[in-house]
Amino acid sequence: MDAGKRTINDIFNGSRVLEIPFFQRAYVWGEEQWERLLEDAENTCRSNEPYFMGSAILKQQPTGTSSNYGDVRTIIDGQQRLTTLSILLKVLCLKTSKMNLFDKRFRLDDDSAVLKHNHNDLEAYTYVMDLTTEEIIQKKDNVSRAYEYFRKNVDPNRISFESITNKMLFVVIDLSPEEDEQQIFDAINSLGVKLTTAELLKNFFFKRDDLQAYEVYWKDIFEKDEETKTYWDREITAGRFRRSFIDLFFYAYLQIKIQDATLGVTAEDKLQFSKVDKLFESYKKFIDKYYAGDRSALRDEIRDYALLFRRIFDPEIVNQELPEKAGIERLNGIIFFLETTTLIPYILYIEHAVSDKAVQSELYDFIETYIMRRLLTKSTTKNYNQLFTERLIANQVLSKDKFLNFLDKQADKVNYLPSDVQVREAFSGSILTNKQATGVLYLIESKIRDRTRHTTQLLGMNKYSLEHIMPKKWSNRWDKPATQSLIDERNRKILTLGNLTIITQALNTSIRDADWDTKKAGHGPGKEGLKKYAEGIDTFSAFLEKDVWNETAIEERADFLYQKAIAVWSIS
């Protein structure tokens, strides 16, 4: 790595090719940025003092990779500023009839532009660079708009080509071919604009002459239209971080591939490739080492898996009624409502490998059972990443029986399946987060609900509020137990599942903390009680008839929920 201050003359020297990654994001600057740059240029020319434009990162490309020129550099950071400066200077030279000055710096010996733009802006940028006289351009793209802005606003009496190219400076970081541009970019970019894994992979898989392949194997899959781009750009919480769907997909696909025994991926490489934050580097090494550097080898498979991923993973499921039948919809609820994204690689693997829908449904039912029993009993999730991204895939666990057999053979028993006894204890004693408790109650409700009896359908998981039947502030309006130990027991019990219900709308504060009779009946319009908002909830509605709500009632409901749960999440 070499870093230092560079003039525009140093950067654009007439013999060096500067490539904007062909599949990089488009030119996005607008009038606010153009106006500021023009003001900076005018001030620099007036003062004749150096003016720093910030940093730029250029990466040396191996000789002969994409050009006949010996010095080819990719612009990692700085494309917006360098593009804008070249357009400004082009307009200035058109106005002053000094195109020889411009061509000396910004055109190569073959008369093509020094700056090779990306596919989004190539046509418009080439058109501007090829102008020999000033003309009006009425196109709507940002490159043409930038040209028009400078055509209307550049005053040759206020700016000088020589001053701009000699006095407007960059701190340029030149990287060698083997250096990691992402690491450098992240370290210095103060704007928080990050090269995404998808952008890096797109430019890794496709070169400037791969436009047709890009259209088929990338654009049609990930960028076809706004709906498609919105899906893949969507971010969700995955562990401790926010991840886009396209990152989740490429991570899941790589985890499936590295478990392929025919590739012989080493344990050391598997560990490295499992790191989410090093996904781009992992793909580069994986393809170089296990596919002899053939970047096209995985195109067809990536396309198939990506189409499958989009078909099966739907975060909007949390706003829709979940079916009673076991399947991908219920697992989507668990993944996206309970934020169990570690399931994604394994589910994608199953969808691709299992064509028998009966086998698939039985396996999905068991995965739900496994996850929910462990959630109820507060079993550790620390090993889930290894379990669902490595071991189950590596061992080709593609049926319920194989999953059970796999668990039975584990010596450490960390990934055990909780028993009915442990589940019973959980309903009586486990204190879950509000989201976990809502998920448990909703998933049971969606299984036991008598849909023929109810006139309204079940809402989505996101549409329900969690209510403590005996409120946390019970001491204001509820009978007080005789001893401190009983008070302590009550304070513990009111946090358990027997005292929790999902309701269609949060209760008014005055009703939420009211006594049992008031909490059931409410105080009229706007202050309705549980009989209105929990009447259609089969996991609780029968208990609305109770005259008293106390520790005994809580335990009775916990047992009711337990009986429903072991039927819903049966291990027989």
Side-chain angles (χ1 to χ4, degrees):
M1 179 176 68
D2 177 48
K5 64 180 181 181
R6 307 279 192 275
T7 66
I8 295 172
N9 279 334
D10 295 327
I11 298 171
F12 294 94
N13 61 18
S15 61
R16 169 193 296 153
V17 175
L18 298 176
E19 287 188 340
I20 294 172
F22 197 49
F23 302 104
Q24 183 64 284
R25 63 189 66 159
Y27 176 70
V28 295
W29 268 24
E31 188 165 335
E32 180 181 348
Q33 291 84 12
W34 303 329
E35 181 180 13
R36 179 175 176 179
L37 181 64
L38 183 55
E39 288 178 358
D40 292 340
E42 291 176 348
N43 291 335
T44 300
C45 294
R46 183 172 55 252
S47 68
N48 202 33
E49 295 291 332
Y51 178 82
F52 280 93
M53 291 286 293
S55 64
I57 305 175
L58 307 180
K59 184 172 183 177
Q60 182 75 51
Q61 296 302 305
T63 303
T65 53
S66 59
S67 170
N68 293 324
Y69 287 82
D71 189 357
V72 180
R73 306 194 187 195
T74 298
I75 302 174
I76 304 302
D77 184 32
Q79 71 139 309
Q80 304 289 327
R81 286 163 291 159
L82 294 175
T83 296
T84 309
L85 279 166
S86 68
I87 296 172
L88 185 157
L89 291 169
K90 176 72 179 188
V91 170
L92 176 62
C93 289
L94 287 171
K95 287 179 176 289
T96 57
S97 299
K98 293 182 178 179
M99 286 309 301
N100 61 313
L101 285 177
F102 184 84
D103 291 345
K104 183 179 179 180
R105 293 295 172 195
F106 293 91
R107 301 193 83 84
L108 299 166
D109 291 342
D110 63 5
D111 206 34
S112 65
V114 163
L115 183 58
K116 306 298 183 185
H117 234 284
N118 62 29
H119 77 289
N120 295 295
D121 303 306
L122 179 61
E123 182 179 352
Y125 185 77
T126 300
Y127 186 86
V128 170
M129 290 298 105
D130 286 348
L131 289 174
T132 56
T133 58
E134 184 181 344
E135 66 176 60
I136 298 173
I137 299 178
Q138 297 181 333
K139 298 176 183 178
K140 301 299 183 181
D141 61 273
N142 272 19
V143 168
S144 299
R145 290 178 60 238
Y147 166 84
E148 275 297 302
Y149 175 83
F150 292 125
R151 188 186 67 79
K152 294 174 181 177
N153 292 283
V154 164
D155 181 351
N157 296 314
R158 298 171 67 88
I159 60 174
S160 156
F161 185 94
E162 290 81 2
S163 293
I164 292 174
T165 54
N166 283 293
K167 295 297 184 180
M168 297 189 80
L169 309 175
F170 285 82
V171 175
V172 175
I173 299 174
D174 284 302
L175 303 180
S176 61
E178 66 275 5
E179 288 183 288
D180 182 357
E181 63 266 35
Q182 179 67 74
Q183 184 179 13
I184 302 298
F185 186 91
D186 290 347
I188 71 166
N189 197 315
S190 60
L191 297 177
V193 179
K194 184 175 181 178
L195 291 173
T196 66
T197 299
E199 287 173 320
L200 292 168
L201 285 172
K202 179 165 54 174
N203 284 289
F204 172 71
F205 282 125
F206 306 99
K207 297 303 179 185
R208 298 184 75 86
D209 57 355
D210 286 344
L211 188 57
Q212 184 176 359
Y214 159 75
E215 296 277 350
V216 173
Y217 294 108
W218 191 281
K219 186 176 180 180
D220 283 353
I221 308 304
F222 302 113
E223 301 172 352
K224 186 175 184 179
D225 49 38
E226 284 305 312
E227 182 182 354
T228 300
K229 288 189 282 188
T230 297
Y231 176 86
W232 290 111
D233 289 343
R234 180 169 186 156
E235 290 188 340
I236 62 169
T237 300
R240 295 173 293 139
F241 304 101
R242 299 282 293 173
R243 301 289 182 196
S244 68
F245 264 38
I246 195 166
D247 279 9
L248 287 172
F249 162 69
F250 275 106
Y251 177 76
Y253 173 73
L254 183 60
Q255 301 319 299
I256 293 170
K257 290 302 295 179
I258 63 178
Q259 303 308 327
D260 185 343
T262 64
L263 294 176
V265 180
T266 66
E268 181 181 357
D269 283 345
K270 285 182 180 181
L271 181 62
Q272 178 184 338
F273 298 158
S274 68
K275 298 183 185 302
V276 178
D277 58 338
K278 299 291 184 181
L279 190 55
F280 175 55
E281 289 78 9
S282 294
Y283 265 92
K284 288 196 296 184
K285 182 176 179 179
F286 175 66
I287 290 174
D288 182 58
K289 188 172 180 178
Y290 297 99
Y291 281 88
D294 184 0
R295 302 181 185 190
S296 65
L298 299 177
R299 285 176 178 174
D300 286 321
E301 196 171 67
I302 286 175
R303 175 186 171 89
D304 291 344
Y305 269 96
L307 291 171
L308 182 61
F309 186 101
R310 187 176 178 190
R311 181 174 64 80
I312 62 177
F313 294 115
D314 178 14
E316 288 302 316
I317 200 71
V318 298
N319 297 312
Q320 303 164 16
E321 178 183 12
L322 283 189
E324 174 187 356
K325 185 179 178 181
I328 192 64
E329 294 87 359
R330 294 181 67 84
L331 287 180
N332 268 308
I334 291 171
I335 290 169
F336 297 114
F337 185 79
L338 295 175
E339 298 174 0
T340 316
T341 55
T342 48
L343 283 171
I344 288 177
Y346 182 49
I347 301 302
L348 183 61
Y349 172 67
I350 294 168
E351 284 282 337
H352 191 265
V354 180
S355 57
D356 188 320
K357 293 302 179 183
V359 173
Q360 191 181 85
S361 179
E362 184 182 46
L363 178 54
Y364 284 165
D365 191 41
F366 179 73
I367 293 171
E368 178 183 334
T369 295
Y370 179 76
I371 294 294
M372 297 311 296
R373 280 180 175 248
R374 288 181 63 87
L375 183 149
L376 281 163
T377 55
K378 300 181 73 68
S379 304
T380 182
T381 60
K382 290 181 179 179
N383 281 11
Y384 277 10
N385 194 56
Q386 182 187 53
L387 178 67
F388 290 111
T389 62
E390 178 185 342
R391 299 175 71 182
L392 292 173
I393 297 172
N395 286 278
Q396 299 180 18
V397 176
L398 293 170
S399 69
K400 174 185 175 180
D401 289 342
K402 286 185 177 180
F403 202 140
L404 281 166
N405 188 49
F406 172 83
L407 294 176
D408 288 340
K409 289 181 177 179
Q410 303 310 299
D412 53 22
K413 301 302 179 185
V414 173
N415 297 312
Y416 74 100
L417 176 63
S419 66
D420 287 357
V421 172
Q422 290 168 311
V423 172
R424 176 66 186 90
E425 293 170 351
F427 274 100
S428 181
S430 284
I431 298 174
L432 307 178
T433 68
N434 283 359
K435 179 162 278 194
Q436 288 172 336
T438 301
V440 167
L441 294 170
Y442 182 95
L443 287 166
I444 295 174
E445 179 74 29
S446 63
K447 277 283 192 179
I448 70 171
R449 186 177 180 85
D450 185 353
R451 286 172 167 81
T452 62
R453 181 171 61 87
H454 293 292
T455 57
T456 57
Q457 70 179 54
L458 191 66
L459 304 177
M461 299 175 87
N462 259 355
K463 305 295 185 181
Y464 288 92
S465 296
L466 187 71
E467 182 67 27
H468 289 74
I469 301 164
M470 182 186 292
K472 293 180 181 179
K473 298 179 181 179
W474 58 267
S475 59
N476 295 331
R477 295 182 176 87
W478 294 62
D479 293 338
K480 185 176 181 180
T483 66
Q484 186 59 47
S485 63
L486 291 175
I487 291 174
D488 292 342
E489 174 65 8
R490 170 172 288 185
N491 286 331
R492 187 187 66 80
K493 278 287 184 185
I494 62 175
L495 302 176
T496 61
L497 286 161
N499 190 54
L500 303 175
T501 185
I502 53 173
I503 55 177
T504 55
Q505 182 174 315
L507 299 180
N508 180 276
T509 303
S510 64
I511 304 301
R512 183 183 305 136
D513 295 332
D515 60 84
W516 175 231
D517 288 337
T518 302
K519 192 158 190 175
K520 286 192 294 181
H523 280 315
K527 294 184 179 180
E528 290 89 349
L530 291 172
K531 284 193 173 180
K532 176 176 176 65
Y533 296 124
E535 184 179 12
I537 305 300
D538 287 354
T539 48
F540 179 64
S541 57
F543 291 85
L544 285 169
E545 303 305 318
K546 281 194 165 292
D547 295 328
V548 176
W549 190 264
N550 54 22
E551 289 80 351
T552 301
I554 292 173
E555 195 59 38
E556 182 182 337
R557 178 148 178 277
D559 187 66
F560 166 82
L561 291 172
Y562 158 71
Q563 296 294 339
K564 300 298 182 184
I566 60 170
V568 169
W569 298 313
S570 171
I571 57 177
S572 59

